Each structure stands twice: as structure tokens, then as C-alpha cells.
Amino acid sequence: MEELFRTNDMVLISAVEALLKELDIDYFVADTHMSILEGSIGVLPRRVMVDSDRKQEAETLLAEAGLMP
């Protein structure tokens, strides 16, 4: 898996998860437990990871949705 992006914005992560699920793109949100350890104050970003062979497709999807620079 490769990193698609990282953010502290849980709303953005939720929106991205919905889009990825819609196209059946496997993903994993890394560092969730680290965020909990730091007290959920949002200092540590979470990373959204996708399969390497579908990363380009995921980047295009997010760009078209206006969710990725």
C-alpha cells in the first residue's frame, strides 16, 4: 500500500472513505491509534493508504471531487 495523503481533518477522511468505498478501492487509515494516544487533539495526522496498483485511480477520483490538491 502507498500513502494517498495525510491530514488531521476527520471530515475529509470520512468523505474520502465514502468515495473509495463507492469505487471498491481498498484503503486503510493509518495512525488512527497514534492519534488516540496523543489525546485526540489532532496533532498527529492520519494517513490514507491505498493499493499501489489503484493509487492513480484514487488520486484522479479525489481530484475530480475537489478533495485533493
Side-chain angles (χ1 to χ4, degrees):
M1 294 197 116
E2 290 186 45
E3 182 178 320
L4 184 59
F5 70 95
R6 64 178 67 203
T7 184
N8 294 344
D9 187 345
M10 291 307 300
V11 175
L12 175 59
I13 290 176
S14 179
V16 168
E17 285 181 304
L19 289 172
L20 294 174
K21 283 180 188 176
E22 221 174 281
L23 287 183
D24 200 30
I25 296 175
D26 291 331
Y27 69 91
F28 175 73
V29 179
D31 305 320
T32 301
H33 298 295
M34 290 303 295
S35 295
I36 292 168
L37 288 175
E38 50 92 8
S40 297
I41 58 175
V43 175
L44 298 174
R46 296 179 187 186
R47 296 175 291 147
V48 176
M49 313 290 285
V50 295
D51 285 333
S52 300
D53 58 337
R54 299 205 60 194
K55 184 179 180 189
Q56 183 62 45
E57 182 182 359
E59 288 175 339
T60 301
L61 172 69
L62 298 185
E64 289 175 355
L67 297 176
M68 189 172 191

